[in-house]
Amino acid sequence: MPELPEVEVCRRQLERWASGRVVHAVDVVDPAVVRRGLSTRPGDAVDGGAQALTSAAAGGVAGVPLRHGKRLGWQLGSAAVLVHLGMTGKWVRTDRAAAPPRFARLALTVDDQVLWFLDMRRFGSVTPVDPPLAAAVRVGLGPDALAEAPDGSALQERLTGRRPIKVALMDQARLAGVGNIHAAEALWWAAISPERRCEQVSAPSWERLAHELPMHLQRTVDLEDAEEIVYMTEGAENRFTVYGRAGEPCPRCGGSIARTRQSGRATYWCPGCQLG
DNA sequence: CCCTCTGTTGGATT
DNA sequence: CAATCCAACAGAGG
């Protein structure tokens, strides 16, 4: 599900719902959600993590959640945690009388509401970390692709070598927050081929990408913050320009959108006009 | 009904 | 270094 824009919208929701309020109760519905590091594997659950989190967080005040890339950092009472949504993670809010939603992994009771962390596929995680949270949230990650967007030459310095530019864009250690969908979308806006090797990308192309990427991310945040996020798997209409549109005409040049594969992920692009 | 394929995540392994 | 595999699960398609 989530890339930088979705995680930012999630962050804002959690802030509105809980920041500055007491977390009356913590219920770790699925103990495997409390992970070592940011492992995507339920088997890497922290031994006794559920208990430790519950006792540290329950009765304490929720802080303002931080975001860096696709990662959230949140102070809950005396517990500092990183939250990663994985592929299908999301937070929803119900009233206190509601039954646990499907795929509930964690529940926070805040005043008259319950905040549920749902995660069908269980790649998502909650990871206890040592403070300060502001440092922990960025460990191992490059600059945030929106809040710290590099300019053209900085981008060129960060994304180097013979790797295809799309693969490099998704390398969270070089630039944090860009995933499969928005890498494809930003490259379309910048008219750069996803297969172009970083070392072959021209300075003007880097400039275009440095401009279009944060622009596109911000536009998506604005769009998604204004409405209820609905994911494609839930029957929503495809709002993307190239993603998921193989065979459809390119809105810029009329060519046919291609679907190829890079590092095991589907890449959508227009061979007709993504020539940079 | 069953099997196969796909997938908005990241990591370890080859 | 780069491609592949894997984690867990639902939904779609043959």
Side-chain angles (χ1 to χ4, degrees):
Chain A
M1 132 200 198
E3 298 186 25
L4 187 156
E6 295 75 30
V7 178
E8 173 59 20
V9 171
C10 172
R11 191 202 69 74
R12 293 179 186 186
Q13 285 179 330
L14 293 176
E15 179 175 354
R16 286 194 291 263
W17 294 341
S19 288
R21 307 203 210 179
V22 173
V23 180
H24 296 103
V26 177
D27 181 13
V28 182
V29 181
D30 174 11
V33 77
V34 185
R35 301 277 163 80
R36 289 200 315 268
L38 288 160
S39 168
T40 55
R41 291 159 203 256
D44 289 336
V46 177
D47 232 29
Q51 274 304 323
L53 174 62
T54 301
S55 55
V61 173
V64 175
L66 311 176
R67 182 192 60 76
H68 190 86
K70 306 176 196 173
R71 186 186 291 171
L72 294 173
W74 205 7
Q75 189 76 39
L76 297 170
S78 63
V81 298
L82 303 182
V83 176
H84 200 289
L85 302 178
M87 202 141 158
T88 54
K90 60 179 163 183
W91 287 83
V92 301
R93 179 177 62 154
T94 68
D95 63 52
R96 288 178 76 151
R102 207 173 173 205
F103 309 123
R105 307 296 172 199
L106 175 70
L108 307 179
T109 303
V110 177
D111 295 338
D112 59 343
Q113 42 180 10
V114 182
L115 312 187
W116 300 91
F117 178 56
L118 314 181
D119 185 17
M120 183 254 290
R121 221 168 136 181
R122 299 177 88 206
F123 293 175
S125 59
V126 176
T127 302
V129 290
D130 293 327
L133 207 43
V137 78
R138 55 189 308 144
V139 168
L141 299 178
D144 186 79
L146 179 59
E148 304 166 338
D151 65 19
S153 57
L155 207 52
Q156 179 168 22
E157 284 165 23
R158 298 214 135 255
L159 310 181
T160 56
R162 296 192 299 186
R163 322 156 81 184
I165 188 169
K166 174 174 173 256
V167 175
L169 262 180
M170 291 191 290
D171 182 345
Q172 305 300 302
R174 308 303 296 173
L175 183 69
V178 182
N180 197 39
I181 289 181
H182 295 300
E185 295 288 306
L187 287 169
W188 183 86
W189 286 104
I192 299 169
S193 164
E195 295 177 341
R196 179 82 62 211
R197 296 173 185 274
C198 288
E199 61 191 7
Q200 304 275 331
V201 176
S202 69
S205 289
W206 286 116
E207 290 298 337
R208 287 201 308 280
L209 182 58
H211 181 254
E212 294 293 347
L213 177 60
M215 180 91 81
H216 168 70
L217 292 173
Q218 184 64 55
R219 202 161 38 209
T220 308
V221 170
D222 294 342
L223 200 68
E224 293 180 346
D225 195 27
E227 56 179 75
E228 190 71 17
I229 301 179
V230 183
Y231 297 96
M232 286 180 58
T233 52
E234 296 164 20
E237 190 184 346
N238 180 359
R239 289 189 279 95
F240 304 115
T241 308
V242 287
Y243 185 86
R245 298 196 180 278
E248 295 182 31
C250 168
R252 185 165 48 212
C253 77
S256 180
I257 302 297
R259 179 187 187 279
T260 53
R261 213 175 179 79
Q262 292 180 289
S263 314
R265 288 343 180 210
T267 294
Y268 297 88
W269 62 296
C270 177
C273 61
Q274 289 181 244
L275 304 173

